[in-house]
Structures are given as structure tokens and as C-alpha cells.
Amino acid sequence: MFTQISWTDYLLAVSILLAIYYLFVGVRYFSGDLKALLAGKRKLTLKTSGFPQNEPLQTEVSEDISVTTDEDSDDEFAEVEHLIEKVKAMIADALGKQLVKEEFRQYLRLVLKEFPSVKTSVLRPSVNELIVSECEKQGIGAFNEDEVDALWSDER
């Protein structure tokens, strides 16, 4: 029975079954994404690595809710990168000047006030964590994440 089926017929049948399976999975689980892609509301993005990228989560796309464009998120990431560079330079400067904790706190507060868009960003906790880790790496164990978070809203 199996000797009458050629390899070409077998591979063709398996290919057709796989195509049907992936079509079913695509329609069943990704119909909303496919509709948004076909309607032109979302661009097709291919990830080059198996690791998740730092992108905001978008669960559903509806017609009355505007979707954050790639340019807006790129601007936000650029702003965060600029803040990170400035914080690293500030920490190095504070080490050179040997500032006490309260002076360092004021200096950091001034740097954070220069970036009001990051204050309301979803990336703010990550920035706080980075500031704490950079301080610890440089030997300035001055803050924990809650104290850094409080510096964003302090008005002194």
C-alpha cells in the first residue's frame, strides 16, 4: 500500500495539510491582527531575534481608538536614551565632585525634570531601575527604586 505513494505525492499532501493547519490557526487566533493588517491600520513587523523586544503591548485595535505610531514610540525611546546618557554623565560628575546624598538627590531631580514626557511614560519604572543600578555600580548606594520614583514628583 505505501509503496504506491511517491515521495512527491507524500510531500505535496503534507504541504497542503500544513498550509490548511496554519491557515486555521491564523484565522482562529490572529483574526483581529489579520483584519488590522489588511485594513492598513497596522504594519507588518518581522522580529529578527527570538527575544522579545521592548514594545508597548497592544491587545486590540478598534476604529475609534488611535494606535500609537512607530514614530511616537521611536521618539519616546530616543527621549529615554537621551535621559539615560544624561543620568550616566550626571553620576560620573557627582562622583568627581563627591556630592553628599542630598546634593546628589537635588542634582538628579533637576535632570529628571528636563524629561517630563518620560515622567508619564510606561518606561519610567525601567528608568528608575536603571538609575538605581547605575548608582550601585558606581558605588553610590544612595537610592532604592521608590526613592527615585518619588524624585519625579518632588517639588522642592
Side-chain angles (χ1 to χ4, degrees):
M1 177 173 139
F2 290 114
T3 57
Q4 294 180 357
I5 299 174
S6 69
W7 280 105
T8 345
D9 292 339
Y10 171 74
L11 291 176
L12 182 64
V14 168
S15 299
I16 291 172
L17 288 174
L18 279 174
I20 292 171
Y21 171 76
Y22 281 112
L23 184 64
F24 170 75
V25 169
V27 170
R28 173 83 168 107
Y29 295 105
F30 299 105
S31 61
D33 293 337
L34 290 173
K35 287 178 186 174
L37 184 65
L38 293 175
K41 293 182 181 181
R42 183 182 289 175
K43 293 182 182 177
L44 180 64
T45 57
L46 299 175
K47 298 186 179 182
T48 57
S49 68
F51 297 107
Q53 296 180 357
N54 295 332
E55 296 178 0
L57 294 176
Q58 296 178 351
T59 54
E60 291 184 8
V61 177
S62 67
E63 294 178 15
D64 39 320
I65 298 176
S66 64
V67 178
T68 304
T69 63
D70 288 339
E71 291 177 5
D72 292 341
S73 62
D74 287 345
D75 290 343
E76 185 176 358
F77 285 123
E79 188 82 11
V80 168
E81 287 294 323
H82 186 62
L83 172 61
I84 290 169
E85 291 173 15
K86 194 143 187 168
V87 164
K88 287 181 179 180
M90 187 267 312
I91 290 172
D93 186 41
L95 274 175
K97 293 180 181 179
Q98 297 180 350
L99 299 177
V100 294
K101 184 176 179 177
E102 191 55 39
E103 291 173 332
F104 183 71
R105 180 186 307 267
Q106 293 294 334
Y107 194 12
L108 183 57
R109 184 178 294 122
L110 289 174
V111 170
L112 295 178
K113 281 187 180 183
E114 293 176 22
F115 299 91
S117 63
V118 179
K119 179 179 180 179
T120 58
S121 170
V122 296
L123 300 172
R124 179 174 160 180
S126 300
V127 171
N128 293 344
E129 184 178 329
L130 180 113
I131 291 171
V132 171
S133 68
E134 281 295 316
C135 287
E136 289 174 355
K137 191 187 310 180
Q138 297 295 333
I140 310 173
F143 302 111
N144 61 29
E145 289 181 42
D146 294 331
E147 291 174 329
V148 173
D149 195 53
L151 291 177
W152 288 95
S153 58
D154 268 351
E155 298 296 330
R156 292 184 207 175

PDB file of all heavy atoms in Angstrom, residues 80-99 104 107-108 111 114-115 130-131 134-135 137-138 140:
ATOM      1  N   VAL A  80      14.158  58.493  26.125  1.00  0.00           N
ATOM      2  CA  VAL A  80      14.657  57.674  27.235  1.00  0.00           C
ATOM      3  C   VAL A  80      16.166  57.448  27.089  1.00  0.00           C
ATOM      4  O   VAL A  80      16.905  57.535  28.073  1.00  0.00           O
ATOM      5  CB  VAL A  80      13.889  56.338  27.316  1.00  0.00           C
ATOM      6  CG1 VAL A  80      14.571  55.369  28.259  1.00  0.00           C
ATOM      7  CG2 VAL A  80      12.461  56.577  27.762  1.00  0.00           C
ATOM      8  N   GLU A  81      16.620  57.194  25.873  1.00  0.00           N
ATOM      9  CA  GLU A  81      18.060  57.008  25.641  1.00  0.00           C
ATOM     10  C   GLU A  81      18.824  58.270  26.006  1.00  0.00           C
ATOM     11  O   GLU A  81      19.896  58.196  26.616  1.00  0.00           O
ATOM     12  CB  GLU A  81      18.324  56.632  24.175  1.00  0.00           C
ATOM     13  CG  GLU A  81      17.926  55.229  23.827  1.00  0.00           C
ATOM     14  CD  GLU A  81      18.762  54.185  24.532  1.00  0.00           C
ATOM     15  OE1 GLU A  81      19.974  54.391  24.712  1.00  0.00           O
ATOM     16  OE2 GLU A  81      18.202  53.151  24.920  1.00  0.00           O
ATOM     17  N   HIS A  82      18.281  59.423  25.642  1.00  0.00           N
ATOM     18  CA  HIS A  82      18.933  60.695  25.979  1.00  0.00           C
ATOM     19  C   HIS A  82      18.977  60.886  27.496  1.00  0.00           C
ATOM     20  O   HIS A  82      19.993  61.330  28.047  1.00  0.00           O
ATOM     21  CB  HIS A  82      18.190  61.845  25.298  1.00  0.00           C
ATOM     22  CG  HIS A  82      18.838  63.171  25.459  1.00  0.00           C
ATOM     23  ND1 HIS A  82      20.095  63.454  24.971  1.00  0.00           N
ATOM     24  CD2 HIS A  82      18.407  64.301  26.070  1.00  0.00           C
ATOM     25  CE1 HIS A  82      20.405  64.699  25.280  1.00  0.00           C
ATOM     26  NE2 HIS A  82      19.400  65.234  25.947  1.00  0.00           N
ATOM     27  N   LEU A  83      17.886  60.546  28.167  1.00  0.00           N
ATOM     28  CA  LEU A  83      17.852  60.639  29.629  1.00  0.00           C
ATOM     29  C   LEU A  83      18.885  59.713  30.257  1.00  0.00           C
ATOM     30  O   LEU A  83      19.598  60.105  31.187  1.00  0.00           O
ATOM     31  CB  LEU A  83      16.456  60.303  30.158  1.00  0.00           C
ATOM     32  CG  LEU A  83      16.313  60.162  31.679  1.00  0.00           C
ATOM     33  CD1 LEU A  83      16.662  61.455  32.397  1.00  0.00           C
ATOM     34  CD2 LEU A  83      14.911  59.711  32.045  1.00  0.00           C
ATOM     35  N   ILE A  84      19.000  58.499  29.743  1.00  0.00           N
ATOM     36  CA  ILE A  84      19.955  57.538  30.294  1.00  0.00           C
ATOM     37  C   ILE A  84      21.385  58.063  30.152  1.00  0.00           C
ATOM     38  O   ILE A  84      22.177  57.986  31.097  1.00  0.00           O
ATOM     39  CB  ILE A  84      19.785  56.166  29.609  1.00  0.00           C
ATOM     40  CG1 ILE A  84      18.463  55.525  30.050  1.00  0.00           C
ATOM     41  CG2 ILE A  84      20.953  55.248  29.907  1.00  0.00           C
ATOM     42  CD1 ILE A  84      18.077  54.310  29.254  1.00  0.00           C
ATOM     43  N   GLU A  85      21.705  58.602  28.973  1.00  0.00           N
ATOM     44  CA  GLU A  85      23.039  59.172  28.773  1.00  0.00           C
ATOM     45  C   GLU A  85      23.302  60.313  29.745  1.00  0.00           C
ATOM     46  O   GLU A  85      24.384  60.419  30.327  1.00  0.00           O
ATOM     47  CB  GLU A  85      23.188  59.673  27.336  1.00  0.00           C
ATOM     48  CG  GLU A  85      23.234  58.582  26.303  1.00  0.00           C
ATOM     49  CD  GLU A  85      23.204  59.130  24.886  1.00  0.00           C
ATOM     50  OE1 GLU A  85      23.430  60.346  24.698  1.00  0.00           O
ATOM     51  OE2 GLU A  85      22.960  58.329  23.964  1.00  0.00           O
ATOM     52  N   LYS A  86      22.296  61.165  29.923  1.00  0.00           N
ATOM     53  CA  LYS A  86      22.450  62.318  30.821  1.00  0.00           C
ATOM     54  C   LYS A  86      22.611  61.859  32.277  1.00  0.00           C
ATOM     55  O   LYS A  86      23.415  62.426  33.020  1.00  0.00           O
ATOM     56  CB  LYS A  86      21.245  63.235  30.676  1.00  0.00           C
ATOM     57  CG  LYS A  86      21.459  64.580  31.301  1.00  0.00           C
ATOM     58  CD  LYS A  86      20.820  65.648  30.483  1.00  0.00           C
ATOM     59  CE  LYS A  86      21.214  66.979  31.082  1.00  0.00           C
ATOM     60  NZ  LYS A  86      20.893  68.077  30.236  1.00  0.00           N
ATOM     61  N   VAL A  87      21.870  60.830  32.672  1.00  0.00           N
ATOM     62  CA  VAL A  87      21.976  60.318  34.049  1.00  0.00           C
ATOM     63  C   VAL A  87      23.360  59.712  34.285  1.00  0.00           C
ATOM     64  O   VAL A  87      23.977  59.938  35.337  1.00  0.00           O
ATOM     65  CB  VAL A  87      20.859  59.296  34.341  1.00  0.00           C
ATOM     66  CG1 VAL A  87      21.145  58.483  35.578  1.00  0.00           C
ATOM     67  CG2 VAL A  87      19.519  60.006  34.483  1.00  0.00           C
ATOM     68  N   LYS A  88      23.860  58.951  33.318  1.00  0.00           N
ATOM     69  CA  LYS A  88      25.192  58.358  33.465  1.00  0.00           C
ATOM     70  C   LYS A  88      26.256  59.440  33.585  1.00  0.00           C
ATOM     71  O   LYS A  88      27.168  59.339  34.421  1.00  0.00           O
ATOM     72  CB  LYS A  88      25.501  57.435  32.290  1.00  0.00           C
ATOM     73  CG  LYS A  88      24.736  56.139  32.331  1.00  0.00           C
ATOM     74  CD  LYS A  88      25.085  55.252  31.159  1.00  0.00           C
ATOM     75  CE  LYS A  88      24.324  53.935  31.226  1.00  0.00           C
ATOM     76  NZ  LYS A  88      24.641  53.057  30.096  1.00  0.00           N
ATOM     77  N   ALA A  89      26.145  60.492  32.773  1.00  0.00           N
ATOM     78  CA  ALA A  89      27.099  61.604  32.856  1.00  0.00           C
ATOM     79  C   ALA A  89      26.967  62.320  34.192  1.00  0.00           C
ATOM     80  O   ALA A  89      27.964  62.714  34.806  1.00  0.00           O
ATOM     81  CB  ALA A  89      26.867  62.570  31.699  1.00  0.00           C
ATOM     82  N   MET A  90      25.723  62.464  34.669  1.00  0.00           N
ATOM     83  CA  MET A  90      25.483  63.134  35.951  1.00  0.00           C
ATOM     84  C   MET A  90      26.082  62.334  37.099  1.00  0.00           C
ATOM     85  O   MET A  90      26.666  62.902  38.017  1.00  0.00           O
ATOM     86  CB  MET A  90      23.971  63.310  36.140  1.00  0.00           C
ATOM     87  CG  MET A  90      23.558  64.130  37.344  1.00  0.00           C
ATOM     88  SD  MET A  90      23.200  63.272  38.888  1.00  0.00           S
ATOM     89  CE  MET A  90      22.147  61.973  38.424  1.00  0.00           C
ATOM     90  N   ILE A  91      25.951  61.030  37.063  1.00  0.00           N
ATOM     91  CA  ILE A  91      26.503  60.183  38.119  1.00  0.00           C
ATOM     92  C   ILE A  91      28.030  60.270  38.117  1.00  0.00           C
ATOM     93  O   ILE A  91      28.657  60.383  39.181  1.00  0.00           O
ATOM     94  CB  ILE A  91      26.019  58.728  37.963  1.00  0.00           C
ATOM     95  CG1 ILE A  91      24.527  58.638  38.281  1.00  0.00           C
ATOM     96  CG2 ILE A  91      26.804  57.788  38.869  1.00  0.00           C
ATOM     97  CD1 ILE A  91      23.907  57.292  37.988  1.00  0.00           C
ATOM     98  N   ALA A  92      28.623  60.259  36.943  1.00  0.00           N
ATOM     99  CA  ALA A  92      30.083  60.400  36.855  1.00  0.00           C
ATOM    100  C   ALA A  92      30.530  61.758  37.381  1.00  0.00           C
ATOM    101  O   ALA A  92      31.542  61.864  38.091  1.00  0.00           O
ATOM    102  CB  ALA A  92      30.540  60.209  35.413  1.00  0.00           C
ATOM    103  N   ASP A  93      29.762  62.803  37.054  1.00  0.00           N
ATOM    104  CA  ASP A  93      30.080  64.148  37.539  1.00  0.00           C
ATOM    105  C   ASP A  93      29.939  64.224  39.054  1.00  0.00           C
ATOM    106  O   ASP A  93      30.767  64.833  39.744  1.00  0.00           O
ATOM    107  CB  ASP A  93      29.157  65.152  36.857  1.00  0.00           C
ATOM    108  CG  ASP A  93      29.512  66.588  37.186  1.00  0.00           C
ATOM    109  OD1 ASP A  93      30.717  66.907  37.222  1.00  0.00           O
ATOM    110  OD2 ASP A  93      28.571  67.400  37.381  1.00  0.00           O
ATOM    111  N   ALA A  94      28.885  63.596  39.586  1.00  0.00           N
ATOM    112  CA  ALA A  94      28.663  63.604  41.040  1.00  0.00           C
ATOM    113  C   ALA A  94      29.780  62.858  41.760  1.00  0.00           C
ATOM    114  O   ALA A  94      30.174  63.235  42.862  1.00  0.00           O
ATOM    115  CB  ALA A  94      27.308  62.986  41.369  1.00  0.00           C
ATOM    116  N   LEU A  95      30.291  61.800  41.154  1.00  0.00           N
ATOM    117  CA  LEU A  95      31.422  61.080  41.747  1.00  0.00           C
ATOM    118  C   LEU A  95      32.654  61.958  41.804  1.00  0.00           C
ATOM    119  O   LEU A  95      33.384  61.956  42.800  1.00  0.00           O
ATOM    120  CB  LEU A  95      31.730  59.811  40.940  1.00  0.00           C
ATOM    121  CG  LEU A  95      30.943  58.577  41.290  1.00  0.00           C
ATOM    122  CD1 LEU A  95      31.274  57.452  40.323  1.00  0.00           C
ATOM    123  CD2 LEU A  95      31.231  58.140  42.706  1.00  0.00           C
ATOM    124  N   GLY A  96      32.889  62.715  40.733  1.00  0.00           N
ATOM    125  CA  GLY A  96      34.055  63.602  40.690  1.00  0.00           C
ATOM    126  C   GLY A  96      33.955  64.725  41.710  1.00  0.00           C
ATOM    127  O   GLY A  96      34.954  65.132  42.300  1.00  0.00           O
ATOM    128  N   LYS A  97      32.750  65.234  41.926  1.00  0.00           N
ATOM    129  CA  LYS A  97      32.540  66.333  42.878  1.00  0.00           C
ATOM    130  C   LYS A  97      32.334  65.834  44.301  1.00  0.00           C
ATOM    131  O   LYS A  97      32.295  66.640  45.230  1.00  0.00           O
ATOM    132  CB  LYS A  97      31.331  67.168  42.461  1.00  0.00           C
ATOM    133  CG  LYS A  97      31.537  67.929  41.179  1.00  0.00           C
ATOM    134  CD  LYS A  97      30.308  68.733  40.836  1.00  0.00           C
ATOM    135  CE  LYS A  97      30.501  69.485  39.534  1.00  0.00           C
ATOM    136  NZ  LYS A  97      29.322  70.251  39.154  1.00  0.00           N
ATOM    137  N   GLN A  98      32.164  64.546  44.483  1.00  0.00           N
ATOM    138  CA  GLN A  98      31.920  63.919  45.782  1.00  0.00           C
ATOM    139  C   GLN A  98      30.764  64.590  46.522  1.00  0.00           C
ATOM    140  O   GLN A  98      30.898  65.082  47.635  1.00  0.00           O
ATOM    141  CB  GLN A  98      33.192  63.936  46.629  1.00  0.00           C
ATOM    142  CG  GLN A  98      34.318  63.134  46.019  1.00  0.00           C
ATOM    143  CD  GLN A  98      35.583  63.155  46.844  1.00  0.00           C
ATOM    144  OE1 GLN A  98      35.693  63.925  47.789  1.00  0.00           O
ATOM    145  NE2 GLN A  98      36.514  62.311  46.475  1.00  0.00           N
ATOM    146  N   LEU A  99      29.615  64.607  45.876  1.00  0.00           N
ATOM    147  CA  LEU A  99      28.424  65.219  46.440  1.00  0.00           C
ATOM    148  C   LEU A  99      27.857  64.368  47.568  1.00  0.00           C
ATOM    149  O   LEU A  99      27.931  63.144  47.540  1.00  0.00           O
ATOM    150  CB  LEU A  99      27.347  65.386  45.365  1.00  0.00           C
ATOM    151  CG  LEU A  99      27.689  66.275  44.176  1.00  0.00           C
ATOM    152  CD1 LEU A  99      26.544  66.259  43.172  1.00  0.00           C
ATOM    153  CD2 LEU A  99      27.956  67.695  44.620  1.00  0.00           C
ATOM    154  N   PHE A 104      23.190  65.232  45.757  1.00  0.00           N
ATOM    155  CA  PHE A 104      23.017  64.292  44.648  1.00  0.00           C
ATOM    156  C   PHE A 104      21.543  64.146  44.302  1.00  0.00           C
ATOM    157  O   PHE A 104      21.161  64.098  43.131  1.00  0.00           O
ATOM    158  CB  PHE A 104      23.639  62.938  45.016  1.00  0.00           C
ATOM    159  CG  PHE A 104      23.569  61.923  43.919  1.00  0.00           C
ATOM    160  CD1 PHE A 104      24.341  62.053  42.780  1.00  0.00           C
ATOM    161  CD2 PHE A 104      22.719  60.836  44.024  1.00  0.00           C
ATOM    162  CE1 PHE A 104      24.273  61.113  41.757  1.00  0.00           C
ATOM    163  CE2 PHE A 104      22.649  59.897  43.009  1.00  0.00           C
ATOM    164  CZ  PHE A 104      23.428  60.041  41.879  1.00  0.00           C
ATOM    165  N   TYR A 107      20.440  67.226  42.387  1.00  0.00           N
ATOM    166  CA  TYR A 107      21.019  67.182  41.050  1.00  0.00           C
ATOM    167  C   TYR A 107      20.223  66.214  40.162  1.00  0.00           C
ATOM    168  O   TYR A 107      19.862  66.536  39.033  1.00  0.00           O
ATOM    169  CB  TYR A 107      22.480  66.754  41.174  1.00  0.00           C
ATOM    170  CG  TYR A 107      23.347  66.964  39.962  1.00  0.00           C
ATOM    171  CD1 TYR A 107      22.947  67.716  38.875  1.00  0.00           C
ATOM    172  CD2 TYR A 107      24.612  66.384  39.908  1.00  0.00           C
ATOM    173  CE1 TYR A 107      23.767  67.891  37.772  1.00  0.00           C
ATOM    174  CE2 TYR A 107      25.439  66.550  38.812  1.00  0.00           C
ATOM    175  CZ  TYR A 107      25.003  67.307  37.751  1.00  0.00           C
ATOM    176  OH  TYR A 107      25.814  67.468  36.664  1.00  0.00           O
ATOM    177  N   LEU A 108      19.915  65.045  40.707  1.00  0.00           N
ATOM    178  CA  LEU A 108      19.139  64.055  39.964  1.00  0.00           C
ATOM    179  C   LEU A 108      17.725  64.559  39.687  1.00  0.00           C
ATOM    180  O   LEU A 108      17.177  64.362  38.605  1.00  0.00           O
ATOM    181  CB  LEU A 108      19.098  62.729  40.730  1.00  0.00           C
ATOM    182  CG  LEU A 108      18.391  61.563  40.052  1.00  0.00           C
ATOM    183  CD1 LEU A 108      19.008  61.262  38.692  1.00  0.00           C
ATOM    184  CD2 LEU A 108      18.435  60.332  40.937  1.00  0.00           C
ATOM    185  N   VAL A 111      17.783  66.845  36.711  1.00  0.00           N
ATOM    186  CA  VAL A 111      17.927  66.114  35.448  1.00  0.00           C
ATOM    187  C   VAL A 111      16.601  65.478  35.057  1.00  0.00           C
ATOM    188  O   VAL A 111      16.196  65.530  33.896  1.00  0.00           O
ATOM    189  CB  VAL A 111      19.048  65.059  35.561  1.00  0.00           C
ATOM    190  CG1 VAL A 111      19.045  64.133  34.367  1.00  0.00           C
ATOM    191  CG2 VAL A 111      20.399  65.727  35.712  1.00  0.00           C
ATOM    192  N   GLU A 114      13.954  67.674  33.377  1.00  0.00           N
ATOM    193  CA  GLU A 114      14.185  68.041  31.983  1.00  0.00           C
ATOM    194  C   GLU A 114      13.456  67.105  31.020  1.00  0.00           C
ATOM    195  O   GLU A 114      13.396  67.384  29.825  1.00  0.00           O
ATOM    196  CB  GLU A 114      15.684  68.009  31.666  1.00  0.00           C
ATOM    197  CG  GLU A 114      16.485  69.064  32.382  1.00  0.00           C
ATOM    198  CD  GLU A 114      17.976  68.931  32.101  1.00  0.00           C
ATOM    199  OE1 GLU A 114      18.347  68.324  31.070  1.00  0.00           O
ATOM    200  OE2 GLU A 114      18.771  69.412  32.909  1.00  0.00           O
ATOM    201  N   PHE A 115      12.919  66.003  31.534  1.00  0.00           N
ATOM    202  CA  PHE A 115      12.279  64.990  30.691  1.00  0.00           C
ATOM    203  C   PHE A 115      10.861  64.704  31.176  1.00  0.00           C
ATOM    204  O   PHE A 115      10.571  63.616  31.678  1.00  0.00           O
ATOM    205  CB  PHE A 115      13.108  63.702  30.694  1.00  0.00           C
ATOM    206  CG  PHE A 115      14.496  63.905  30.155  1.00  0.00           C
ATOM    207  CD1 PHE A 115      15.538  64.235  31.007  1.00  0.00           C
ATOM    208  CD2 PHE A 115      14.743  63.774  28.804  1.00  0.00           C
ATOM    209  CE1 PHE A 115      16.814  64.434  30.513  1.00  0.00           C
ATOM    210  CE2 PHE A 115      16.018  63.972  28.308  1.00  0.00           C
ATOM    211  CZ  PHE A 115      17.054  64.304  29.161  1.00  0.00           C
ATOM    212  N   LEU A 130      17.146  51.443  36.259  1.00  0.00           N
ATOM    213  CA  LEU A 130      18.467  51.705  35.686  1.00  0.00           C
ATOM    214  C   LEU A 130      19.244  52.716  36.525  1.00  0.00           C
ATOM    215  O   LEU A 130      20.444  52.553  36.741  1.00  0.00           O
ATOM    216  CB  LEU A 130      18.332  52.221  34.250  1.00  0.00           C
ATOM    217  CG  LEU A 130      19.671  52.501  33.615  1.00  0.00           C
ATOM    218  CD1 LEU A 130      19.917  51.547  32.487  1.00  0.00           C
ATOM    219  CD2 LEU A 130      19.773  53.927  33.176  1.00  0.00           C
ATOM    220  N   ILE A 131      18.570  53.753  37.012  1.00  0.00           N
ATOM    221  CA  ILE A 131      19.236  54.756  37.838  1.00  0.00           C
ATOM    222  C   ILE A 131      19.777  54.117  39.110  1.00  0.00           C
ATOM    223  O   ILE A 131      20.924  54.359  39.507  1.00  0.00           O
ATOM    224  CB  ILE A 131      18.277  55.924  38.162  1.00  0.00           C
ATOM    225  CG1 ILE A 131      17.986  56.731  36.892  1.00  0.00           C
ATOM    226  CG2 ILE A 131      18.852  56.828  39.245  1.00  0.00           C
ATOM    227  CD1 ILE A 131      16.894  57.766  37.052  1.00  0.00           C
ATOM    228  N   GLU A 134      22.786  51.906  38.202  1.00  0.00           N
ATOM    229  CA  GLU A 134      23.963  52.709  37.857  1.00  0.00           C
ATOM    230  C   GLU A 134      24.597  53.309  39.111  1.00  0.00           C
ATOM    231  O   GLU A 134      25.819  53.356  39.231  1.00  0.00           O
ATOM    232  CB  GLU A 134      23.599  53.833  36.882  1.00  0.00           C
ATOM    233  CG  GLU A 134      23.461  53.388  35.461  1.00  0.00           C
ATOM    234  CD  GLU A 134      24.753  52.880  34.858  1.00  0.00           C
ATOM    235  OE1 GLU A 134      25.811  53.508  35.052  1.00  0.00           O
ATOM    236  OE2 GLU A 134      24.708  51.838  34.191  1.00  0.00           O
ATOM    237  N   CYS A 135      23.754  53.759  40.044  1.00  0.00           N
ATOM    238  CA  CYS A 135      24.282  54.303  41.304  1.00  0.00           C
ATOM    239  C   CYS A 135      25.033  53.217  42.075  1.00  0.00           C
ATOM    240  O   CYS A 135      26.126  53.462  42.591  1.00  0.00           O
ATOM    241  CB  CYS A 135      23.155  54.876  42.162  1.00  0.00           C
ATOM    242  SG  CYS A 135      22.483  56.420  41.542  1.00  0.00           S
ATOM    243  N   LYS A 137      26.366  50.522  40.820  1.00  0.00           N
ATOM    244  CA  LYS A 137      27.549  50.134  40.050  1.00  0.00           C
ATOM    245  C   LYS A 137      28.704  51.112  40.296  1.00  0.00           C
ATOM    246  O   LYS A 137      29.864  50.707  40.348  1.00  0.00           O
ATOM    247  CB  LYS A 137      27.212  50.119  38.560  1.00  0.00           C
ATOM    248  CG  LYS A 137      28.276  49.476  37.706  1.00  0.00           C
ATOM    249  CD  LYS A 137      28.010  49.611  36.201  1.00  0.00           C
ATOM    250  CE  LYS A 137      26.647  49.202  35.767  1.00  0.00           C
ATOM    251  NZ  LYS A 137      26.426  49.334  34.310  1.00  0.00           N
ATOM    252  N   GLN A 138      28.383  52.391  40.465  1.00  0.00           N
ATOM    253  CA  GLN A 138      29.411  53.403  40.685  1.00  0.00           C
ATOM    254  C   GLN A 138      29.760  53.556  42.166  1.00  0.00           C
ATOM    255  O   GLN A 138      30.588  54.374  42.524  1.00  0.00           O
ATOM    256  CB  GLN A 138      28.952  54.756  40.119  1.00  0.00           C
ATOM    257  CG  GLN A 138      28.731  54.749  38.634  1.00  0.00           C
ATOM    258  CD  GLN A 138      30.008  54.497  37.843  1.00  0.00           C
ATOM    259  OE1 GLN A 138      31.102  54.798  38.284  1.00  0.00           O
ATOM    260  NE2 GLN A 138      29.849  53.911  36.672  1.00  0.00           N
ATOM    261  N   ILE A 140      27.573  54.442  44.577  1.00  0.00           N
ATOM    262  CA  ILE A 140      26.720  55.430  45.261  1.00  0.00           C
ATOM    263  C   ILE A 140      25.425  54.723  45.617  1.00  0.00           C
ATOM    264  O   ILE A 140      24.420  54.871  44.951  1.00  0.00           O
ATOM    265  CB  ILE A 140      26.403  56.637  44.350  1.00  0.00           C
ATOM    266  CG1 ILE A 140      27.657  57.214  43.733  1.00  0.00           C
ATOM    267  CG2 ILE A 140      25.654  57.707  45.122  1.00  0.00           C
ATOM    268  CD1 ILE A 140      27.385  58.296  42.711  1.00  0.00           C
TER     269      ILE A 140
END
